[in-house]
Amino acid sequence: MTPHPTLAETASPAPDGSAPATPADSGTPAPPTLRAERLRLTYGERVVVDGLDLVVPPGKISVIVGANACGKSTLLRALARLLNPASGSVQLDGRAIHTLPTRQVARQVGILPQAPVAPEGLTVIDLVGRGRAPHQTWWRQWSAADEAAVSAALAATGITELADRPVDELSGGQRQRAWIAMAVAQQTPVLLLDEPTTFLDLSHQIDVLDLVVDLNRRDGRTVVMVLHDLNQACRYADHVIAMKAGRIVAQGVPAEVITADLVAEVFDVRCTVTADPLTGTPLVIPTGRHHGGPAAPSPATD
Amino acid sequence: MSLLELSRRPGRTTFRLSRPAVSGVLRPRLLLCCVGLAALTVVVCCVGIATGDYPISPLRVVPALVGAGDPGQVFIVRELRLPRALVAILAGAAFAVSGGIFQTITRNPLASPDMIGINAGATTAVVAGIVLGGGGLRLPPLGLAGGLAAAGLIFLLAWRRGATGYRIVLVGIAVAWMCTSATDYLLTRAQLAEAQNAVGWLVGNLNGRGWESVRPLGAAVAVLLPAAMLLGRWTRTLHLGDEVARGLGTPVQLARLCLLVVGVALVAFATAATGPVLFVALAAPQIAQRLAGLSAPPILAAALTGALMVSASDLLARWIIPDVDLPVGVVTGALGAAFLLWLLVRTNRAGSGG
């Protein structure tokens, strides 16, 4: 009943078959490449994404932005092989991801879906420990590598003291960090996060995003996340992907991509784009109907 | 490096052997629960075997089981009373594990084979056999076929781009009502004696069960219980939802199909042996979960809880009304419901005891 242990072992980068020690650690091979080709995604009859091509920049933080229902979460789910393409493909190191053994993919690509729900009474350490599932076999449920990965994930997310508390008793911010810790403990070189800052107050949003930067800088992980806040996207993304109606409208370095024209096209919002006084990245200031007035209709970049 | 590493924290102790490279998480409270439940089950069983028209001292039951003592007593214990006790244990364990499995794959504590139509399917088949006269067909195989047919129907109807837990519950409830209606229709057409016979089976009954009931059920439990425990690796991630589970490398649909087959087979064999003993499948996993202070039903503890529930209920049924063979299902319903309510009131939330 063990799900393809031998198949998964062969996929393991560790020669002795034990759980790979931090595949994303410094000094390890380059992160795997993730790309979408002529991707068409549907829910039943409804086409959400059509003819999409994307190369995820390895070792970088990419942020997908777009209005509600533009297909950004759908794209993320497809990149994580949670959704099979109607046509086209998502390729992990050049192989179609939905044809690879799911356990093998789970050692390369981690996904944290939007608003996951933990069963009542599940403790934080048990939740984070489940992130080790793709590295475990039924006789090896808590190897030294598992223990190290879980401790490191708890420490990185700042919830070591909460380890024995039930997840459902935590505050929203703590809970979200526990889920991220689970994804971190999975130790995948590619990490996909669907709106990791939803339901968090500002300080926890910044905590989570700083944590993402740590994971990227320290471990060299490739991160793709969906964010709602354009200014956070601009500040934290190396590569921003703007989507509208299932297509990529523009992508690249935030400073080049996020312009008032693009925001108007993607979000249907008039705005002024200036430079973030702290980082110099684009800062989007929406105009709205009541502010700015006719004096400031034309956007000024820089 | 030592041969065995242990590290302890509240509620869980992890162990790691250097050779062979075996490691895992032990939960002392769960272990304690299992040992306690097993011991209680043995005691209840011995008392149950001692009870009857020809009373035997409970202390003599164990020697008699291994063939020591008065030959008459040995015959009564081993040939007449042991099968009934074993059927109670096996059926209780089978119902409970099956319930735990269904609650896991649907992520819904109310989903159990009694709720989603698998028992109802078995019941309809058996009542049809009794009322329409199945032409010499024996009841257990009929029950098995009925349960499997209902499960197949549920899974076929629920399978649309992969069966989700929610769909299984909804379709299951509809199938349950269809089967119940069919059973009621058959009963209205039945002769009085047939109807009485059928109703006696409908509530779950251990009366007159012999070795011929023990063997198929025992074989089924011997295969399916370890299978259910081995599938535990998949169920642990399934508890987190389909998407997270798939992200963690669990083949979600395959896992669900395997669990469903094991769960249906368990409940079908148990129903075939005893009839649908009510409430065990629903309550036992939940009781075990709360006793162990966990976030999901533990398989082995649920099995032991189910075994204890059915054994104790059978004993109670015989104590309360000694002269009438009260069907065990009547007692499990009353007893299990009361205990579950008490637990819900006491703990107020699942697993908070952990």
Side-chain angles (χ1 to χ4, degrees), chain B residues 286-311:
Chain B
Q286 295 294 313
I287 291 171
Q289 177 184 338
R290 280 162 181 75
L291 286 176
L294 294 173
S295 58
I299 294 294
L300 188 60
L304 291 166
T305 308
L308 180 61
M309 267 178 83
V310 175
S311 303

Side-chain angles (χ1 to χ4, degrees), chain A residues 269-270 286-294:
Chain A
V269 166
R270 278 195 307 143
T287 311
R289 283 193 294 114
H290 301 291
H291 302 92

Side-chain angles (χ1 to χ4, degrees), chain A residues 115-123 127 167-168 175 179, chain B residues 107 239-241 295:
Chain A
V117 180
E120 274 183 67
L122 186 73
T123 58
L127 175 65
V167 176
D168 52 303
R175 198 177 305 159
W179 279 101
Chain B
R107 296 183 86 197
H239 287 137
L240 303 178
S295 58

Side-chain angles (χ1 to χ4, degrees), chain B residues 121-144:
Chain B
T123 306
T124 305
V126 168
V127 171
I130 293 172
V131 173
L132 305 176
L137 265 179
R138 287 171 56 231
L139 299 187
L142 262 182
L144 198 60

Side-chain angles (χ1 to χ4, degrees), chain A residues 199-275:
Chain A
F199 307 129
L200 298 187
D201 61 28
L202 189 58
S203 87
H204 286 123
Q205 290 182 21
I206 301 302
D207 279 353
V208 163
L209 292 170
D210 283 345
L211 169 65
V212 169
V213 173
D214 287 343
L215 294 171
N216 168 254
R217 299 250 171 92
R218 200 182 50 214
D219 304 344
R221 299 192 202 211
T222 306
V223 177
V224 184
M225 57 182 165
V226 172
L227 286 182
H228 258 303
D229 187 311
L230 260 183
N231 293 326
Q232 288 179 351
C234 290
R235 179 181 280 196
Y236 286 94
D238 299 314
H239 186 89
V240 68
I241 299 159
M243 286 184 69
K244 185 184 185 182
R247 289 173 190 281
I248 294 175
V249 179
Q251 58 174 320
V253 181
E256 291 167 11
V257 171
I258 303 298
T259 61
D261 286 342
L262 180 92
V263 175
E265 186 189 349
V266 170
F267 291 95
D268 204 14
V269 166
R270 278 195 307 143
C271 72
T272 300
V273 177
T274 72

